[in-house]
């Protein structure tokens, strides 16, 4: 361990920051996890042995799923330090490059898991804020009619603030969550002191009995136990921001002990007073602490929601750059932190879906039925993808790979299948959201492949074209022309249109292709590849990672000169092709006609390439072309 005080201070700062961003969601699970585990609708009586069993099941679920699976195993499967399901999908896809038969299945599976994450992103703010505000009902039932309107108000304020970024308040997230976890621990100790026998719940035999000895009810209750580890994907997704060490230190040093104490304290409260099942979290606290805890819980759930929303922005940006979603307007909200972004379209779609969930379900209990499907579905996909990384990326033998992931797959399947029992009670909601996002992603990916195949088939090779062109060269005019092309070996349609209409060619011609590699970051020294084509023509390929900002202007003006090709933006014109997609039912594309029309609509409304690639707008000429698919 390093004794460098600067390094230790940095790690301490990152650990505190991780408490706010990484553990906001899982840290607010005590608001509803115990209440739903012992929901009378499951048919399991609130006897002392059952309470011990339920708390034991929650504790060991945290131990197995969070501590062993995510903290110890999944965080090792990182894509050059980056985590999250899109990073894992890219890593798994790269790992099986020599086994192409697996690639289609891996991509499809990964997109399904990513799509389910959007369902989680909708339900996390809804259930977290609603469960926090429901504490007001404990003080007086007169406030019950105002719970949903107040929750809606908090959520609208949260989403309206998103465009300003988190830089101004982000520094408060960690300290607020530190206070939150200490409050959880203190309340837990208070409850344990009232009934110390609850400590026997740490014995796994109680948990095993609880999930095996009540018949169908035991299987059903797994769908409630899983609420204790909602938000666990944030451990992995935010690894690139904080590193493995701060996340692990925060978990084992504060979060896990505080959660354990609080769950034990809630169990002790239920043993002493079974009627506390109405809201065991708030009834664990002394009456004088109720309203301060409602305020602190609301702040904690807002932080949890903020972390999930930011994660959704990041996931969407990665999906766009990997080619699974159309370009969107990305607003960078911090001059210092490149990861702090805001996507207006995603923000308002999320807000509409979150408000629909809050108003439609109306209570945290009803939302809890919907929550589990999205969480466990994404977890299951993560474990499957990890298998391919271990087997093909790390090169471990089949037996060891199955051993490393098989147990967790069985655990995930148990929780996922239990949550599926609640489809009729609300589980349909995240599945419907996920199915919609999955369809959009798959349609965009497949549509782009079909469109690029049409472009290649209708054109000719770039080098062959240039040879024929310079047999009888057109007039050359001063300056540099840059033609953007999706494929480096194809003739850009914009070039053909320019020659056809203007009859001239610039003195220097550049064919530019932007490629996003399946890694999070590409070093500056590896971002540019220049190939001379003769007659002062060049092919330039720019490489970016899926977390890099694809900045064409910076690459041309700052990186290309190091390879002997300098650019003066005032003497450079950019020629872009604006493709108009026309669905034709009679042409084979591999997609249903309604999906072709969906792709055409998405292509028509995709964000501007000028803004997305940071190309000077006053130096751009757009030329349209029609493509039938």
């Amino acid at each position: 361990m390093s004794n460098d005080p600067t390094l230790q201070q940095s790690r301490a700062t990152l650990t505190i920051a991780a408490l706010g961003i990484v553990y906001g969601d899982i840290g607010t699970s005590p608001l509803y996890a115990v209440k739903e585990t012992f929901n009378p609708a499951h048919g399991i009586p609130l006897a002392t042995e059952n309470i011990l069993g339920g708390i034991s099941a929650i504790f060991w679920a945290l131990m197995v799923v969070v501590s062993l699976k995510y903290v110890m195993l999944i965080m090792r499967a990182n894509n050059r330090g980056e985590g999250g399901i899109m990073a894992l999908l890219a890593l798994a896809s790269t790992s099986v490059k020599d086994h192409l038969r697996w690639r289609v299945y891996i991509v499809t599976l990964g997109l399904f898991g990513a799509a389910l994450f959007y369902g989680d992103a909708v339900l996390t703010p809804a259930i977290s804020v609603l469960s926090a505000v429901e504490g007001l009902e404990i003080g007086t039932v007169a406030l019950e009619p105002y719970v949903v309107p107040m929750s809606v108000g908090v959520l609208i304020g949260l989403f309206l603030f998103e465009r300003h970024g988190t830089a101004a308040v982000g520094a408060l997230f960690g300290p607020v969550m530190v206070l939150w976890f200490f409050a959880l621990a203190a309340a837990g100790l208070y409850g344990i002191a009232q009934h110390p026998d609850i400590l026997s719940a740490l014995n796994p035999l109680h948990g095993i009995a609880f999930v095996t000895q009540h018949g169908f009810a035991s299987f059903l209750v797994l769908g409630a136990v899983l609420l204790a580890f909602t938000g666990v994907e944030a451990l992995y997704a935010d690894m690139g921001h904080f590193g493995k060490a701060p996340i692990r230190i925060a978990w084992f040093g504060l979060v896990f002990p505080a959660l354990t104490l609080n769950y034990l304290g809630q169990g002790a409260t239920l043993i002493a007073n079974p009627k506390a099942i109405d809201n065991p979290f708030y009834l664990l606290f002394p009456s004088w602490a109720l309203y301060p805890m409602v305020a602190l819980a609301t702040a904690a759930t807002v932080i949890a929601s903020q972390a999930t929303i930011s994660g959704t922005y990041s996931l969407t940006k990665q999906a766009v750059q990997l080619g699974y979603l159309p370009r969107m307007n990305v607003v960078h909200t911090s001059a210092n932190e490149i990861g702090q972004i805001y996507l207006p379209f995603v923000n308002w779609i999320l807000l509409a879906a979150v408000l629909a969930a809050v108003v439609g379900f109306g209570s945290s209990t009803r939302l809890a039925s919907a929550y589990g499907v999205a969480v466990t579905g994404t977890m299951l996909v993560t474990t499957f993808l990890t298998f391919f990384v271990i087997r093909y990326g790390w090169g471990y033998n089949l037996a060891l790979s199955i051993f490393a992931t098989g147990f967790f797959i069985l655990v995930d399947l148990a929780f996922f299948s239990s949550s599926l029992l609640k489809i009729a009670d609300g589980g349909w909601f995240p599945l419907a959201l996920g199915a919609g996002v999955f369809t959009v992603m798959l349609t965009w990916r497949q549509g782009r492949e079909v469109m690029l195949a049409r472009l290649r088939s209708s054109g000719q090779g770039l080098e062959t074209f240039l040879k024929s062109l310079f047999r009888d060269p057109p007039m050359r005019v001063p300056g540099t022309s840059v033609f953007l092309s999706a494929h480096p070996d194809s003739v850009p349609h914009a070039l053909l249109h320019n020659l056809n209409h203007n009859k001239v060619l610039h003195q220097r011609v550049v064919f530019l292709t932007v490629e996003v590699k399946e890694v999070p970051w590409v070093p500056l020294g590896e971002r540019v590849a220049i190939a001379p084509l003769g007659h002062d023509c060049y092919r330039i390929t720019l490489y970016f990672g899926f977390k890099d900002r694809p900045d064409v202007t910076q690459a041309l003006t700052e990186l290309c000169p190091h390879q002997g090709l300098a650019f003066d933006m005032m003497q450079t014109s950019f020629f872009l092709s604006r493709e108009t997609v026309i669905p034709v039912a009679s042409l084979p594309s591999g997609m249903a006609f309604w999906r072709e029309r969906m792709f055409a609509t998405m292509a028509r409304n995709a964000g501007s390439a000028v803004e997305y690639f940071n190309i000077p707008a006053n130096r751009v000429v757009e030329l349209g072309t029609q493509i039938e698919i």
Side-chain angles (χ1 to χ4, degrees), residues 571-595:
Q571 299 298 320
T572 303
S573 298
F574 293 83
F575 292 83
L576 279 64
S577 294
R578 183 73 176 182
E579 296 93 358
T580 301
V581 179
I582 302 175
V584 179
S586 60
L587 285 177
S589 67
M591 295 194 298
F593 186 61
W594 66 268
R595 289 182 64 206

Side-chain angles (χ1 to χ4, degrees), residues 367-402:
L367 275 169
S369 299
Y371 206 4
V373 178
V375 174
T376 54
T378 304
M379 285 172 42
L380 183 59
V381 170
T382 295
T383 311
F384 271 113
L385 293 180
T386 302
F387 166 80
F388 289 99
V389 174
I390 295 174
R391 176 73 178 98
Y392 297 106
W394 299 349
Y396 288 104
N397 63 56
L398 182 61
L400 182 59
S401 301
I402 292 176

Side-chain angles (χ1 to χ4, degrees), residues 505-527:
L505 200 64
H506 283 79
Q507 190 62 47
R508 186 171 64 174
V509 182
V510 172
F511 302 97
L512 179 66
T513 299
V514 177
E515 289 190 13
V516 176
K517 304 182 77 172
E518 292 183 330
V519 295
W521 314 99
V522 173
L524 291 177
E526 301 174 13
R527 285 193 182 176

Side-chain angles (χ1 to χ4, degrees), residues 357-437:
V358 170
V359 176
F361 287 93
S363 73
S364 60
T365 295
R366 295 191 187 97
L367 275 169
S369 299
Y371 206 4
V373 178
V375 174
T376 54
T378 304
M379 285 172 42
L380 183 59
V381 170
T382 295
T383 311
F384 271 113
L385 293 180
T386 302
F387 166 80
F388 289 99
V389 174
I390 295 174
R391 176 73 178 98
Y392 297 106
W394 299 349
Y396 288 104
N397 63 56
L398 182 61
L400 182 59
S401 301
I402 292 176
F403 175 78
T405 57
F407 170 70
F408 297 117
I409 287 175
L410 291 176
V411 172
D412 292 343
L413 280 172
F415 282 114
F416 182 63
S417 54
S418 175
S419 66
L420 289 178
L421 296 174
K422 297 184 178 181
I423 286 181
D425 297 325
W428 59 268
F429 185 72
L431 283 180
L433 287 173
V437 175

Side-chain angles (χ1 to χ4, degrees), residues 398-483:
L398 182 61
L400 182 59
S401 301
I402 292 176
F403 175 78
T405 57
F407 170 70
F408 297 117
I409 287 175
L410 291 176
V411 172
D412 292 343
L413 280 172
F415 282 114
F416 182 63
S417 54
S418 175
S419 66
L420 289 178
L421 296 174
K422 297 184 178 181
I423 286 181
D425 297 325
W428 59 268
F429 185 72
L431 283 180
L433 287 173
V437 175
F438 178 74
T439 301
V440 168
M441 286 182 164
L442 211 58
T443 298
W444 180 256
R445 179 74 170 190
Q446 191 172 353
R448 287 284 299 171
E449 291 174 352
V450 171
M451 187 179 75
L452 292 177
R454 292 277 193 273
L455 286 170
R456 286 195 295 269
S457 64
S458 63
Q460 57 181 303
L462 178 61
E463 294 188 30
T464 303
F465 173 80
L466 290 178
K467 286 180 182 178
S468 63
L469 176 66
F470 286 109
R471 290 194 188 104
D472 183 17
M475 180 186 297
R476 308 293 288 265
V477 295
T480 298
S481 59
V482 177
F483 294 91

